[in-house]
Amino acid sequence: MSVGAGQGNVRCFRTAIAQRLGLQFDDARIGFLGTVLQRRLARLDMPAPHYLCALTAGMLPAEPAALAEELTVSETYFFRNSEQFRALVDIVAPARMRAAANNNRLTVLSAGCASGEEAYSLAIALHDAFPDPNGRVEIRAVDLNPAALARAARARYSPWALRETPADIRRRWFRPSGRELILAEPARALVHFENRNLARDDAALWQPQSFDVVFCRNVIMYFTPDQARALLARFARSLRPGGYLFLGYAETLRGLSDDFELQQSHETFYYRRKDDAPAAISLHREPPNAVAPPAAAPHSGRPDGDWMETIRGASDRVAALVAAMPVAGPSAPPATGHWDLAAALDLLRGERFSDALALVSRLPPASANDPDVLLLTATILAHGGQPVAAEETCRRLLSIAGLNAGAHYVLALCREAVGEAASAAEHDRIAIYLDGSFAMPRLHLGLLIRRSGDRDAARRELGQALVLLRREDPQRLSMFGGGFGRTGLISLCAAALRDSGGNQ
Ligand SMILES: C[S@@+](CC[C@H](N)C(=O)[O-])C[C@H]1O[C@@H](n2cnc3c(N)ncnc32)[C@H](O)[C@@H]1O
């Protein structure tokens, strides 16, 4: 019989998960962890103290995989962020194959491959780009979740998994079977799946200078800062000099690694291992209980150091903040979104703020809690010089739909308008976290950082903003562009980037 999962046990469970799997859970998810702990105790028929001791000491070798099935997010799909695959085949793979030591070969790691969509997309893209890749291209794909890996091995997918896959690739590479689509053998043959834990310094995986390219997308965003830092150091070590790293759009290297330099092409960004990154550091095992609490950001030494610290430390806190945000509860009205807002949007674009506001205020009372209406109202108020009223409206919207990137961006504008630059930056970061493709908070954050004097950090943000602005959704530009069109925003961003010492 197991002993119940009290608060102390659940916190100890959380620490053990950070150590063993790398995953971070904030206080808002303690209840969820308690439920999982109960289930594991019942399943193994162990009392909590025994289970927690054994888990922490690494004496339950099958447990990390079992926990991964309970705790990880395995959302993925084919050709996610397809521009990264274009950069891979046009620039990254040819450069690596040409590298003297490579002899026309390419080794790719898909780290956190989930059910295989990312690794198979790599295989398809490389097969199409380099005919007859067998023996030249190798893709290793690793994940800790055995259920996801079992799905990968079957290579049968629902049409939903191919929602971003171009029609001709679908036709050439997949064969329908009932409701599923089966991937063709030549792409499957390039990929080797392995059950591996990215939070471990596993000598069989992290051979020095063994990979040309690492795709690790939408994984470190779930890791504790220390575990993310350790994983990025392993990538630097196991990539060949000049090798490339692709992260997800909500992920950053800031404060986690200096071993890579940012690259931009194909309207996307990725990283190249610096030549002097520590490729040959010998493998080491981290001591048990190596997970320290998140380190404080280094002090900048500038008069506005507190401000900068707030910005630098923010990304660590954003995940916690986001998880704690309310999502639409049972009492929240449904997001109707069927009000005709086009005329008000036109007035906003033309900077006729009072007319736009008057139009919105004439909408039927039933629209009062509609998230789209609230967001538009807040945006009009913010651009029309009423930050306090705009902020109130945003907060109302967030109490209904907490995970609203637009509301956080508008809040950032409001906070800046009342002189709260640090809190403005924090809201920009939340908006970026919630929607990695949203250009405006990147631009705004870049401008805020530039004003603080940190040219390196400003350059990074503005460079990414420039890439995102070029492909930002036109509707979203009209809504949040503050009267600037795409061209105007791109010029503004490019000028700020130049001024920070960057090129475009
Ligand atoms: C959101 S999915 C990302 C899938 C894919 N990379 C993409 O971007 O579409 C995250 C994956 O990371 C895996 N993961 C999380 N922690 C891990 C760990 N410690 N070791 C190996 N895989 C892990 C999860 O099991 C999950 O399949």
Side-chain angles (χ1 to χ4, degrees):
M1 245 341 251
S2 68
V3 173
Q7 279 286 309
N9 286 335
V10 181
R11 286 181 192 281
C12 182
F13 185 47
R14 171 164 72 174
T15 306
I17 287 164
Q19 284 169 16
R20 292 283 140 208
L21 283 77
L23 302 174
Q24 170 160 283
F25 289 90
D26 51 72
D27 287 347
R29 306 204 62 200
I30 280 283
F32 165 66
L33 284 185
T35 310
V36 173
L37 176 57
Q38 284 285 16
R39 241 193 328 264
R40 294 312 301 158
L41 296 178
R43 182 69 199 259
L44 298 174
D45 197 18
M46 283 174 97
H50 289 191
Y51 172 79
L52 292 170
C53 276
L55 179 64
T56 305
M59 289 161 59
L60 298 172
E63 200 54 10
L67 287 172
E69 284 195 26
E70 298 262 14
L71 299 172
T72 57
V73 175
S74 54
E75 160 65 10
T76 183
Y77 49 91
F78 279 90
F79 292 97
R80 184 177 203 172
N81 304 136
S82 59
E83 49 288 336
Q84 293 188 320
F85 293 89
R86 286 202 296 278
L88 173 79
V89 296
D90 286 351
I91 293 187
V92 167
R96 294 309 307 149
M97 284 173 152
R98 273 196 309 271
N102 264 11
N103 200 16
N104 215 15
R105 296 164 68 89
L106 186 75
T107 310
V108 185
L109 173 68
S110 167
C113 63
S115 35
E117 287 87 332
E118 177 180 271
Y120 287 141
S121 302
L122 290 166
I124 292 171
L126 292 169
H127 215 297
D128 279 350
F130 305 99
D132 198 17
N134 285 340
R136 286 202 292 147
V137 173
E138 183 192 1
I139 300 165
R140 286 180 77 180
V142 305
D143 203 285
L144 182 57
N145 182 336
L149 288 171
R151 288 197 297 278
R154 290 180 69 232
R156 300 170 78 104
Y157 295 94
S158 71
W160 182 239
L162 279 85
R163 59 192 179 273
E164 294 287 325
T165 304
D168 91 293
I169 291 186
R170 227 185 235 240
R171 203 182 51 249
R172 288 186 292 109
W173 283 100
F174 293 88
R175 175 170 57 82
S177 165
R179 289 185 166 171
E180 292 179 316
L181 294 144
I182 305 177
L183 178 63
E185 183 53 33
R188 297 172 66 167
L190 294 186
V191 186
H192 305 280
F193 289 101
E194 299 166 47
N195 188 318
R196 301 219 176 259
N197 185 350
L198 295 170
R200 299 257 61 82
D201 207 346
D202 175 344
L205 181 59
W206 306 118
Q207 289 292 316
Q209 304 200 20
S210 51
F211 299 115
D212 294 294
V213 183
V214 172
F215 267 63
C216 183
R217 304 183 308 162
N218 309 298
V219 176
I220 63 167
M221 62 194 272
Y222 299 108
F223 272 30
T224 66
D226 277 6
Q227 290 277 16
R229 224 170 265 132
L231 180 59
L232 289 163
R234 287 181 205 119
F235 292 156
R237 198 169 77 207
S238 61
L239 273 169
R240 302 193 172 112
Y244 291 84
L245 169 66
F246 287 79
L247 296 179
Y249 283 171
E251 294 165 327
T252 173
L253 293 184
R254 178 166 310 118
L256 298 176
S257 173
D258 292 324
D259 290 332
F260 299 89
E261 49 201 10
L262 187 66
Q263 308 285 304
Q264 290 172 37
S265 74
H266 299 77
E267 308 201 333
T268 187
F269 33 85
Y270 44 97
Y271 300 88
R272 186 166 182 269
R273 177 184 173 280
K274 288 180 188 165
D275 285 346
D276 57 357
I281 289 182
S282 60
L283 294 174
H284 68 280
R285 298 213 158 267
E286 65 257 63
N289 306 324
V291 177
H299 196 282
S300 68
R302 274 188 267 285
D304 53 0
D306 287 346
W307 194 91
M308 285 307 299
E309 275 189 22
T310 309
I311 288 181
R312 289 206 178 100
S315 55
D316 297 344
R317 290 194 307 280
V318 164
L321 279 172
V322 168
M325 283 170 192
V327 289
S331 60
T336 56
H338 59 236
W339 313 102
D340 185 5
L341 305 177
L345 207 52
D346 273 348
L347 292 169
L348 168 64
R349 213 172 11 234
E351 302 194 60
R352 292 172 53 192
F353 303 120
S354 341
D355 292 344
L357 217 48
L359 204 61
V360 172
S361 66
R362 286 202 294 274
L363 287 170
S367 73
N369 280 333
D370 179 276
D372 291 345
V373 175
L374 285 169
L375 184 57
L376 180 59
T377 308
T379 311
I380 298 167
L381 288 166
H383 286 297
Q386 299 188 55
V388 177
E391 186 158 344
E392 253 176 43
T393 310
C394 280
R395 300 220 179 268
R396 212 162 95 223
L397 166 53
L398 289 172
S399 71
I400 294 168
L403 305 176
N404 189 310
H408 281 283
Y409 170 61
V410 176
L411 267 180
L413 300 181
C414 299
R415 300 271 76 210
E416 188 201 6
V418 297
E420 296 283 346
S423 131
E426 185 122 14
H427 283 290
D428 278 329
R429 285 208 167 286
I430 296 173
I432 292 166
Y433 182 90
L434 291 174
D435 183 346
S437 66
F438 193 3
M440 294 308 295
R442 287 245 184 233
L443 173 59
H444 188 235
L445 183 62
L447 296 174
L448 285 172
I449 296 176
R450 172 168 153 266
R451 207 177 309 150
S452 80
D454 186 335
R455 286 159 60 88
D456 286 349
R459 241 186 349 259
R460 279 196 296 275
E461 281 314 329
L462 292 167
Q464 299 194 353
L466 197 57
V467 169
L468 294 177
L469 278 171
R470 292 194 176 116
R471 61 184 149 108
E472 179 63 280
D473 176 61
Q475 280 285 96
R476 206 150 64 162
L477 281 180
S478 309
M479 172 96 165
F480 297 111
F484 286 88
R486 189 187 305 275
T487 317
L489 289 166
I490 287 177
S491 309
L492 168 71
C493 186
L497 183 58
R498 264 195 311 278
D499 189 46
S500 314
N503 40 30
Q504 318 117 48

